Amino acid sequence: MTETIRRPADIFSPITDAVSATKVKYADARAAGRRGYDKPTPQNSIVLLVDHQMGLMLGMRDTQSLGQLVGNVVGLARTAKALGIPTLLTTSNAQWQNEDTLPELKEIFPDLPIYRRTGIINCYEDPTFRKAIEVISEGTGRRHIIIAAVTIGTCCLMPTLSMLNDGYSVYPVIDACGAWSKYEVDAASARMAAAGAELCSTFALACELQADWKLPSGQAMFEPFVKNLPEYGFAVNNFWNRVGGQAVPDPFKMVK
């Protein structure tokens, strides 16, 4: 007879557990010759949403669809809102062909002004917008910049290089940017990574920022995942739709 092997009992981490920080501080890891993990958090970050404008978005060709790109942009915005991360919105030449900011961003942040750049391409080189960044950074100690911009090769790449030069830790969210072509994405990503930027994607970054679903922000963070990541939203809704019984009664009585 084949002996039945019993699995050991499952081990559950206590729900009272909190996130364990790395044992070695970032500065000490760097001093020891390691890359280090300079973790972005809701407490140390600022989000920049740059030039997500109707006229510019129409020309983006690096994603499967424009809807996918808009979903990522809105998902990032909702993440920032849910986690209480200070956010800045800016446009470039909105009075002309670039047109206005995505209406979804205005709806998410109805209380935020939009910084209207009138010619300067690199938003960090615009004195008014840079001042807005510095006011938040110097007032709160936030030095981690999360940036998404249209397009990745100009409005994301250029301020990223500038801010890295000035000592910020920069996290370009590459799937919430948009580009004229895949060549632009590849070239910009290579330059930013070589300069020390930490490239990331929208929902991986959202998980990194949330860190623990038990935190108070966990419930609010379901909104971007459910509404803007359809693959996960389907799983969530499918599960909760079935909790406590069948979603639709079975008239054939086949489901027990």
Side-chain angles (χ1 to χ4, degrees):
M1 295 180 60
T2 303
E3 182 181 355
T4 301
I5 300 176
R6 293 191 176 185
R7 293 184 63 256
D10 294 340
I11 300 173
F12 289 84
S13 59
I15 61 173
T16 54
D17 278 358
V19 172
S20 296
T22 53
K23 293 182 178 180
V24 179
K25 293 182 179 180
Y26 173 73
D28 294 336
R30 295 285 290 175
R34 298 191 291 276
R35 173 78 181 184
Y37 180 27
D38 193 16
K39 184 178 180 178
T41 70
Q43 293 74 38
N44 67 17
S45 300
I46 302 170
V47 171
L48 307 183
L49 298 176
V50 181
D51 300 356
H52 293 102
Q53 298 167 245
M54 299 297 291
L56 292 173
M57 296 284 285
L58 287 172
M60 299 302 94
R61 295 293 182 269
D62 63 307
T63 56
Q64 292 179 345
S65 70
L66 184 57
Q68 181 186 56
L69 174 58
V70 172
N72 291 336
V73 173
V74 175
L76 178 60
R78 284 182 168 144
T79 294
K81 182 83 169 184
L83 295 174
I85 302 175
T87 302
L88 295 174
L89 308 176
T90 182
T91 62
S92 174
N93 285 338
Q95 68 276 9
W96 295 327
Q97 69 278 355
N98 291 354
E99 300 188 39
D100 201 9
T101 300
L102 288 175
E104 293 91 338
L105 297 183
K106 289 184 174 183
E107 291 173 6
I108 294 169
F109 301 110
D111 55 338
L112 293 185
I114 299 175
Y115 290 84
R116 305 292 194 178
R117 305 187 330 278
T118 55
I120 298 175
I121 297 172
N122 180 341
C123 66
Y124 189 72
E125 292 180 344
D126 183 276
T128 302
F129 192 66
R130 184 190 295 188
K131 182 64 176 177
I133 298 171
E134 291 174 344
V135 166
I136 296 174
S137 179
E138 293 171 5
T140 63
R142 296 170 182 266
R143 300 289 297 176
H144 293 61
I145 305 295
I146 296 166
I147 182 171
V150 177
T151 68
I152 193 171
T154 51
C155 298
C156 184
L157 168 69
M158 293 161 62
T160 291
L161 298 180
S162 296
M163 290 185 289
L164 287 169
N165 181 79
D166 284 2
Y168 291 96
S169 297
V170 186
Y171 299 81
V173 188
I174 62 174
D175 65 346
C177 286
W180 306 114
S181 70
K182 185 177 183 299
Y183 298 110
E184 182 183 1
V185 178
D186 292 344
S189 297
R191 288 187 67 186
M192 291 189 292
E198 299 279 350
L199 275 60
C200 53
S201 58
T202 301
F203 294 100
L205 175 66
C207 288
E208 190 172 19
L209 291 166
Q210 177 62 29
D212 183 352
W213 288 111
K214 299 191 301 294
L215 294 174
S217 57
Q219 192 64 36
M221 278 290 284
F222 264 96
E223 183 177 23
F225 277 88
V226 171
K227 291 186 176 180
N228 300 110
L229 184 60
E231 295 81 357
Y232 191 64
F234 181 84
V236 170
N237 288 322
N238 181 56
F239 173 78
W240 287 108
N241 196 39
R242 293 184 294 106
V243 169
Q246 296 169 242
V248 178
D250 176 18
F252 300 99
K253 310 301 181 183
M254 295 177 65
V255 178
K256 304 299 182 184

